[in-house]
Amino acid sequence: MTAAGYIPMRLSLESEAASFSDFFAEYSRKAYAFALHLTGDREEAMDITQEAFLRMHERWPLRDPDRPAPAWLYTVVRNLAIDHLRRRARRAETEIQEAVLHAPEAGPETAAEQGEMSRRLWEAIRKLPAEQREILLLRDWHGLNYSEIARVLGLSLGTVSSRLHHAREKVREEMRGYLR
Amino acid sequence: MTPQQHDELRQMLSAYLDHELTQASEQRVRLHLEDCPECRQACEEMRRLQEMTRSLRFAEPPEDKMKELERSLAVQAPRRLGWTFVVGGLTAWIVYAAVTWIRHWRPPTVEELIAGAVVIGFLMLLASVAVERLRQLPHDRYRRIQK
């Protein structure tokens, strides 16, 4: 899956008239990718995607029309992923932070097919602290704007902007040899 | 320009790329980029990295599982809702029996239990119809038409 045809997810995209099935068609793969970014496990990502849409489907009629559905979806997926990682950490008797940091290893399995540059880029992204990596992917791959990211992660706009900047600087540093 | 001013503008490069700055800040960064080759290069490299990140490919979800999920969404949610009403109804019925017992200092009669079950069942039915109506409301293409 690529972020080709990248469309910033704004309120206008989620018009009131759009049906749940339209929403599912547009965002189910992005939700899966986000769950995969967080957990690094395909089965868990599928379980999370399923549970997230089921929860949203139940509350869809009662939702606040002013609340952007994509941000809502990403919040639900993130909360479910954290629950999964906590359970996994308990099972493996490891710290939650460790589980999060190791998680995306299994992310872009097809990265090898995309050439050395993409592989290096993903390595650089993987090396980022979890809180910076998450913001970088939400912005640059998933296409959320700063206020949507702030909403999903429960952060201020300033924190989102600052973390994203530091993340990009670190990735740039790692990729220096490939950019010049 | 002082090093502090330079650092401040440098910190804004990322938000500049994302068009997340105010008009005044964007103008400041744009002017700075004209004069600072170092920041210009950083900005260009960040833009290239952004494009590369956007084109990263990740594992696709299994198509059959996604289809299955789409189908199950239509079935599972009402089923969950049905269980909620069944559990809610049974709870209400038990509470009704307990209250009757406490009020009259005797166990409720069979007639009272049947009457309670009928009333609670009717209320649950009304509630399920109301919830179903609310559920359908966003998909009702005629809801904006004025009578």
Side-chain angles (χ1 to χ4, degrees), chain A residues 1-4 6 10 16-21 24-25 28-29 32-33 36-37 42-43 46 49-51 53-55 57-63 106-111 113-114 117-119 121-122 125 136-137 139-141 144-147 157 161-162 164-166 168-169 171-172 175-176 178-180, chain B residues 7-21 38-81 84 130-141 143-144:
Chain A
M1 186 189 333
T2 72
Y6 163 83
R10 297 188 197 286
E16 209 185 347
S19 69
F20 187 82
S21 58
F24 178 84
S28 54
R29 279 159 181 79
Y32 175 84
L36 193 60
H37 290 155
R42 286 182 182 212
E43 276 191 29
M46 196 64 222
T49 308
Q50 179 159 358
E51 185 61 29
F53 277 100
L54 199 57
R55 285 188 187 188
H57 189 255
E58 279 178 358
R59 293 164 203 168
W60 191 258
L62 307 169
R63 80 201 155 100
E109 287 185 4
T110 51
E113 300 160 19
Q114 298 170 54
M117 187 98 116
S118 295
R119 199 181 59 77
L121 175 60
W122 181 246
I125 293 173
L136 185 81
L137 288 170
R139 171 65 208 140
D140 289 347
W141 199 85
L144 270 67
N145 62 34
Y146 286 19
S147 62
L157 280 176
S161 179
S162 155
L164 184 58
H165 182 75
H166 287 117
R168 283 178 174 159
E169 285 283 20
V171 172
R172 195 170 77 90
M175 294 292 288
R176 194 167 284 268
Y178 289 87
L179 290 168
R180 291 178 182 169
Chain B
D7 287 349
E8 187 201 341
L9 286 161
R10 179 65 175 254
Q11 292 279 328
M12 291 157 83
L13 283 186
S14 209
Y16 172 78
L17 268 178
D18 295 324
H19 307 290
E20 293 273 358
L21 291 177
E38 186 193 327
C39 286
R40 208 162 49 235
Q41 185 177 355
C43 191
E44 176 56 26
E45 287 176 3
M46 279 185 190
R47 193 187 57 73
R48 284 176 59 197
L49 283 170
Q50 193 177 30
E51 283 172 8
M52 285 162 62
T53 306
R54 207 174 287 169
S55 61
L56 276 177
R57 292 169 59 86
F58 292 96
E60 284 273 359
E63 195 59 38
D64 55 334
K65 287 206 170 180
M66 290 307 268
K67 291 270 179 215
E68 195 183 311
L69 169 57
E70 199 173 0
R71 277 195 301 271
S72 70
L73 276 170
V75 179
Q76 283 189 29
R79 190 181 295 160
R80 271 193 182 191
L81 203 64
T84 307
V131 169
E132 193 53 34
R133 178 67 193 130
L134 277 173
R135 179 184 293 282
Q136 295 299 325
L137 205 57
H139 313 302
D140 181 358
R141 65 180 70 183
R143 73 185 188 287
R144 284 180 185 278

